[in-house]
Amino acid sequence: MSAAESGKNPDDGPGYETLAEITKAMKEAGVENCGLIFGIDYTISNKLQGQKTFDGHSLHDITKDKINPYQEVICILGETLEPLDDDGIIHAYGFGDRKTKDKKTFPLKPQGECEGFAEVLDVYNEMTPKIRMGGPTNFAPLIRKAIDIVRKNQEYHILVIVADGQVTSEEETIQAIVDASCYPLSIVVIGVGDGPWNVMNDLDEKLPSRKFDNFQFVDFHEIKATARSPQTAIAIEALSEVPEQYKAIKKLKLLENM
């Protein structure tokens, strides 16, 4: 699979073409294992963001005969990321619902953490129909929750945020991303739905100086539409900056200085 087929712009950085290549690069960078944190966007804009990309349905629509984008991302990243997680524990949170709004997060599993992505998917399927979507959209509470987890566990983590991209609390989100660069934490945002993605695409350029480039955005549907092997391409794109991020974390001694 070429870089073009994988949905990767050759000018964006290392042109990983297979999962084996990126796995090797991660090991060479020193990533033997890591903690995983998963965040799901429950803002009300999800009801309208599937007009083009999900046959007009809500992005959280759950039926037996069709998998929604959130379920698809959980499955794809579960297969890719789970082998990196030594204890199998996934910290899974929702945000943007009618109760927490843009101020807090809530655990997707009411009691305890999820054991593997299979349970993340099971809990998502069980809880989503009960959740009342709200807003506005703010990634900051989730990012700060991730920082707390990293500080407590004193281990490198990858935070995956699956969202429809309609960030309304942009300044708070930017500040949280900047603050997170003081910790061994990579942030990957998987954009699902119709977009537009101008905020996500421009976010890196608007960010003030950080300790390291800790943020990666992946346009889920664009990659699916252009890649020969969409699942592989999405997984590669999601992890494409992790090797360099981890090298920067080691160079800055962020794990040692916690």
Side-chain angles (χ1 to χ4, degrees):
M1 180 172 60
S2 69
E5 290 172 329
S6 69
K8 180 78 176 172
N9 185 331
D11 297 328
D12 288 345
Y16 301 114
E17 297 184 4
T18 66
L19 283 174
E21 287 179 3
I22 197 165
T23 300
K24 180 182 178 183
M26 290 170 68
K27 287 183 177 179
E28 289 176 349
V31 183
E32 295 296 335
N33 54 65
C34 68
L36 299 176
I37 307 166
F38 205 78
I40 295 177
D41 176 2
Y42 282 105
T43 54
I44 201 164
S45 53
N46 279 280
K47 289 187 175 182
L48 303 175
Q49 283 297 307
Q51 294 299 315
K52 298 176 182 177
T53 53
F54 197 48
D55 298 329
H57 299 295
S58 165
L59 297 176
H60 282 300
D61 186 47
I62 294 180
T63 60
K64 292 183 179 179
D65 58 348
K66 190 166 187 175
I67 185 170
N68 75 34
Y70 286 90
Q71 293 169 317
E72 198 169 353
V73 171
I74 291 170
C75 292
I76 292 172
L77 294 188
E79 292 181 11
T80 308
L81 293 176
E82 200 162 54
L84 299 173
D85 187 5
D86 58 338
D87 62 7
I89 299 298
I90 313 293
H91 303 272
Y93 296 92
F95 64 94
D97 68 314
R98 194 168 295 186
K99 288 184 179 180
T100 62
K101 300 182 180 180
D102 61 340
K103 304 300 181 185
K104 298 179 180 179
T105 64
F106 64 92
L108 202 60
K109 184 179 178 180
Q111 295 182 338
E113 307 296 346
C114 293
E115 296 185 11
F117 272 91
E119 187 172 18
V120 174
L121 182 60
D122 288 343
V123 173
Y124 170 83
N125 291 340
E126 179 185 353
M127 298 302 297
T128 295
K130 305 174 186 177
I131 295 170
R132 300 175 70 189
M133 288 182 274
T137 309
N138 184 3
F139 292 168
L142 179 60
I143 294 171
R144 298 199 183 282
K145 172 67 74 173
I147 291 172
D148 289 342
I149 292 171
V150 170
R151 292 174 65 180
K152 179 181 178 180
N153 295 345
Q154 297 190 341
E155 182 183 33
Y156 171 62
H157 282 67
I158 298 174
L159 167 62
V160 178
I161 305 173
V162 192
D164 70 4
Q166 303 298 310
V167 176
T168 48
S169 302
E170 191 174 339
E171 289 186 10
E172 287 185 48
T173 294
I174 287 173
Q175 188 58 54
I177 294 171
V178 172
D179 293 346
S181 73
C182 296
Y183 298 90
L185 176 65
S186 293
I187 301 170
V188 180
V189 175
I190 311 290
V192 294
D194 302 345
W197 303 113
N198 53 306
V199 173
M200 293 293 101
N201 285 321
D202 294 344
L203 202 51
D204 254 328
E205 297 176 11
K206 293 181 179 180
L207 287 171
S209 177
R210 290 165 287 165
K211 296 284 187 180
F212 70 102
D213 182 358
N214 59 345
F215 181 89
Q216 166 77 336
F217 170 66
V218 178
D219 186 335
F220 180 75
H221 296 286
E222 181 181 41
I223 292 175
K224 274 191 66 177
T226 57
R228 178 178 297 175
S229 303
Q231 292 190 350
T232 300
I234 289 163
I236 290 172
E237 186 71 6
L239 297 175
S240 63
E241 295 189 9
V242 167
E244 292 304 314
Q245 289 172 343
Y246 195 76
K247 288 178 184 178
I249 286 168
K250 289 200 302 182
K251 185 176 181 180
L252 293 165
K253 299 182 178 180
L254 297 183
L255 279 165
E256 299 174 29
N257 296 334
M258 292 182 64

